[in-house]
Amino acid sequence: MNLALDVSTGSMLLPLATFIFVSSITPGPNNVMLTASGANFGYQRSMPHMLGITVGCSLMLFLVGAGLGALFEQLPQLYTVLQYLGAAYLVWLAWKIATSGQAGTADAKCKPFGFWQAAAFQWVNPKAWLMSVGVVAAYTTPSSYWPSLLLGTVVMLVVNFPCISVWTLFGTVIGRWMQSPRALQVFNGVMAALLLLSLYPLLVPHG
């Protein structure tokens, strides 16, 4: 196995970093949930959630490149089942976000996502799958496949975290503005609706 980076692999670094940057910082289930987490719990308490996303996405990328993608090609029904499980889980998460922060309820402050919970969530997150498959398909080179796959994994670790942190900080700022429980409840309802909208790619058949 040749683990040396060749010229073609090195030339992929900037386009690869750009792809991961754009994919990580644009809206999606992770960023919607982090915005809500920042508003409800603050940046520090959302840290395990952010780290879990970054590590989970990077591990998924590596495993997809290492051969998991071939398994789904042989068993497409397995991927379909995973998609529906992901959709159901997102609906449940949207409900939890919408009902959090309500005044006068015992569940007014649910717990933020933990590291392992956030990492595991990536396996049912359609955007994380698209990112992983996109990197493997477009930014690995046959002549130095493993070095380019490892490079993609490392770049994911480095680039993803600051991108998703922006959304958590955004939510934290919003949370400071919203002093009333009613305002926070409305905000959580909007975040829940956006999370449900992220299901659109799963619900529309691809021709």
Side-chain angles (χ1 to χ4, degrees), residues 120-135:
F121 172 69
Q122 304 318 305
W123 294 95
V124 293
N125 179 2
K127 187 179 179 184
W129 278 101
L130 290 174
M131 288 174 62
S132 297
V133 173
V135 170

Side-chain angles (χ1 to χ4, degrees), residues 20-35:
I20 292 177
F21 173 82
V22 172
S23 300
S24 298
I25 207 166
T26 49
N30 283 328
N31 290 333
V32 170
M33 291 165 60
L34 286 175
T35 303

Side-chain angles (χ1 to χ4, degrees), residues 3-161:
L3 292 180
L5 284 172
D6 61 13
V7 175
S8 61
T9 302
S11 67
M12 285 287 189
L13 181 57
L14 182 58
L16 169 65
T18 302
F19 173 80
I20 292 177
F21 173 82
V22 172
S23 300
S24 298
I25 207 166
T26 49
N30 283 328
N31 290 333
V32 170
M33 291 165 60
L34 286 175
T35 303
S37 183
N40 285 275
F41 308 112
Y43 186 86
Q44 289 293 341
R45 293 186 66 192
S46 300
M47 183 67 70
H49 190 167
M50 291 185 287
L51 290 172
I53 288 173
T54 297
V55 173
C57 284
S58 301
L59 179 61
M60 171 185 280
L61 166 59
F62 181 78
L63 291 178
V64 167
L68 189 59
L71 175 62
F72 285 108
E73 288 183 4
Q74 296 177 0
L75 298 172
Q77 64 273 19
L78 182 61
Y79 183 67
T80 301
V81 170
L82 193 64
Q83 281 186 311
Y84 282 110
L85 287 176
Y89 190 51
L90 283 174
V91 171
W92 181 79
L93 288 173
W95 178 80
K96 291 293 289 183
I97 291 173
T99 56
S100 66
Q102 296 180 0
T105 63
D107 193 34
K109 281 287 184 180
C110 60
K111 293 180 180 180
F113 256 37
F115 175 87
W116 294 110
Q117 190 178 9
F121 172 69
Q122 304 318 305
W123 294 95
V124 293
N125 179 2
K127 187 179 179 184
W129 278 101
L130 290 174
M131 288 174 62
S132 297
V133 173
V135 170
V136 173
Y139 299 102
T140 57
T141 57
S143 60
S144 55
Y145 181 77
W146 288 103
S148 57
L149 178 60
L150 289 172
L151 178 65
T153 303
V154 172
V155 173
M156 177 71 79
L157 280 169
V158 173
V159 174
N160 179 261
F161 185 83

